[in-house]
Amino acid sequence: MNKNFIEQSAKNQFCSSTDPQESHVFANLLYDQGFKHVFGRESNKEILINFLNLIIPDRKIVDLEYLNNEQTPALKEAKNSRYDLTCKTDDGSRIIVELQKRSQWDFIERTLYYVALPIIEQLEIGEHRYNFYPIYSVNILNFELSGVSKNEDVLSIYRLKELYRNTELTDKITMIYIELPKFRKNLSELDSDNLLENFYFCFRNIYKFKECPEELTNEIIKRLFTAAKVAAMDKNEKIKYLNEMTSERDLRNQIEYAIDKAIEQGLQQGLEQGIEQGIEQGIQQGIEQGIEQGIEQGMQQGIQRGIEQGKIDTARLLKANGISIEMIITCTGLTLEQIEQL
């Protein structure tokens, strides 16, 4: 695995895929300001209703009312929360819509905390019953949920269920997660009749176009393109949008710089550790090879000495039995001097 592969993998993981550009005809829907400009306006309510009806199960929304995004908890010590969008449907259900560009610590827990606040809000003081309208947490993510959804489905819906029999405990709380990076179709691969796929595509790509592509024929999607025009923003909205683009660019640079430095430091530390381990392994291997060679040489020397000693013992025995010196030299290969010393 080379440095370039490691670096690019890290940047894909931590950096948003929505590269800031100097000018957009259509707002980037993965920017908070772009998202709220399209989905958070009363005039675009029908676009939001159509989108929610595609992802919320067992319920058809006819109308909805935008609510205050600021949530003040019952306890003073608790954290205030601000949603991207929160609304109430015609049947009283509450819907929280959150856009999240990057993962963070305890993200799932944060979405659960956001659901708890409207539950408490619905329970009137002095009321003895714990009855509240259903709550839907819709989370649009520009990253994949690590360790949670292990399939390739863009849309995941969770409810409280019995672990072994899969029976539903209640339909009052529904957690919906849309992992946009799992949607990889390009314009030519889109099914024009699949409205949800068209929404996914627009979330990821609308800011790249100068006009609505002719392949996108659904009227709701055409209205989405019209609503997303940056030129339709008022002065304050444009300033906020441009500021967010600048912040996004700065953040990407900071993250990429941190990744580059971390990779550089990691490679240096890895090199130093590798050299140190290599030296240790080399020494150990040298010792082992030295032992093996020593044993082999010792055996060879032992055998040679054994042969020499055998010749001397044989010559001594022949000499003691009166065999001539010439015959002993012929039989043992010893020299005259060696035999005379016996």
Side-chain angles (χ1 to χ4, degrees):
M1 187 177 295
N2 59 41
K3 176 184 176 183
N4 291 337
F5 179 81
I6 297 173
E7 182 175 350
Q8 192 57 51
S9 297
K11 289 177 180 178
N12 288 343
Q13 176 68 23
F14 294 103
C15 294
S16 167
S17 61
T18 56
D19 293 323
Q21 298 180 7
E22 292 302 327
S23 61
H24 296 160
V25 173
F26 302 106
N28 190 330
L29 301 182
L30 296 180
Y31 288 176
D32 288 340
Q33 191 58 43
F35 177 79
K36 292 173 183 176
H37 172 72
V38 173
F39 293 98
R41 300 168 69 93
E42 186 72 26
S43 58
N44 299 330
K45 186 165 61 174
E46 188 178 349
I47 299 175
L48 178 60
I49 290 174
N50 274 271
F51 175 65
L52 293 176
N53 276 330
L54 293 170
I55 60 174
I56 291 180
D58 310 328
R59 200 174 300 270
K60 182 171 179 61
I61 302 170
V62 178
D63 194 15
L64 57 78
E65 171 191 351
Y66 290 102
L67 301 178
N68 183 10
N69 293 350
E70 192 78 31
Q71 285 288 322
T72 303
L75 297 177
K76 293 182 179 180
E77 295 81 4
K79 294 175 62 175
N80 278 17
S81 299
R82 184 174 183 83
Y83 308 133
D84 288 327
L85 288 178
T86 180
C87 47
K88 180 172 68 174
T89 68
D90 47 289
D91 65 358
S93 299
R94 304 305 200 266
I95 301 176
I96 301 165
V97 185
E98 277 289 299
L99 175 70
Q100 189 75 14
K101 282 185 285 191
R102 295 179 179 86
S103 185
Q104 58 181 236
W105 292 114
D106 306 323
F107 173 73
I108 297 297
E109 287 77 3
R110 191 187 83 167
T111 61
L112 293 171
Y113 175 73
Y114 278 7
V115 165
L117 295 176
I119 293 176
I120 297 172
E121 179 193 35
Q122 291 185 60
L123 300 179
E124 297 182 6
I125 297 176
E127 176 61 49
H128 67 283
R129 296 186 61 188
Y130 290 87
N131 189 34
F132 56 88
Y133 289 104
I135 297 175
Y136 297 88
S137 172
V138 178
N139 301 276
I140 304 168
L141 314 178
N142 195 34
F143 57 90
E144 295 185 19
L145 289 171
S146 176
V148 181
S149 56
K150 298 180 181 180
N151 54 47
E152 286 301 308
D153 295 334
V154 179
L155 177 65
S156 299
I157 302 175
Y158 298 88
R159 278 185 177 162
L160 295 174
K161 292 190 175 184
E162 204 281 329
L163 185 60
Y164 299 105
R165 291 180 293 276
N166 201 37
T167 54
E168 191 169 89
L169 178 66
T170 177
D171 65 350
K172 289 296 185 74
I173 299 175
T174 304
M175 309 297 296
I176 300 172
Y177 299 93
I178 298 172
E179 300 169 83
L180 290 175
K182 290 183 177 180
F183 183 78
R184 301 181 180 92
K185 289 187 177 182
N186 57 40
L187 184 60
S188 63
E189 296 171 326
L190 280 182
D191 179 358
S192 59
D193 295 327
N194 190 326
L195 183 55
L196 185 55
E197 277 196 0
N198 283 217
F199 269 111
Y200 292 159
F201 179 82
C202 289
F203 271 115
R204 299 204 69 184
N205 299 289
I206 191 172
Y207 70 97
K208 301 175 184 177
F209 293 97
K210 300 299 182 182
E211 59 184 16
C212 181
E214 60 182 15
E215 291 89 343
L216 302 179
T217 58
N218 188 282
E219 289 301 319
I220 292 296
I221 297 301
K222 289 181 179 180
R223 289 185 58 179
L224 174 62
F225 269 83
T226 300
K229 288 183 178 179
V230 175
M233 295 181 177
D234 61 33
K235 182 178 180 180
N236 289 333
E237 286 178 320
K238 285 182 181 178
I239 291 173
K240 290 180 180 179
Y241 183 73
L242 292 175
N243 286 342
E244 188 172 358
M245 287 178 62
T246 301
S247 298
E248 176 72 13
R249 183 185 301 110
D250 292 343
L251 182 58
R252 280 183 64 91
N253 286 335
Q254 292 168 10
I255 292 175
E256 291 185 2
Y257 175 78
I259 290 172
D260 288 340
K261 296 300 291 184
I263 291 174
E264 181 181 335
Q265 184 177 353
L267 289 174
Q268 182 61 36
Q269 290 178 352
L271 178 61
E272 293 173 358
Q273 292 177 6
I275 292 174
E276 184 177 347
Q277 291 177 7
I279 292 173
E280 292 177 356
Q281 292 177 4
I283 292 173
Q284 183 62 34
Q285 186 175 351
I287 292 172
E288 292 174 356
Q289 290 179 352
I291 292 172
E292 291 176 0
Q293 291 176 6
I295 291 172
E296 183 177 351
Q297 291 178 9
M299 291 176 64
Q300 292 175 353
Q301 291 177 9
I303 292 170
Q304 184 63 37
R305 289 180 183 178
I307 293 172
E308 292 296 325
Q309 186 62 45
K311 290 179 180 180
I312 292 171
D313 292 342
T314 301
R316 184 179 286 114
L317 181 62
L318 293 174
K319 185 177 181 181
N321 284 278
I323 304 300
S324 67
I325 298 299
E326 290 79 8
M327 183 61 67
I328 294 173
I329 292 173
T330 302
C331 292
T332 64
L334 297 177
T335 65
L336 176 62
E337 290 77 12
Q338 287 175 312
I339 294 172
E340 287 179 343
Q341 292 175 3
L342 297 177

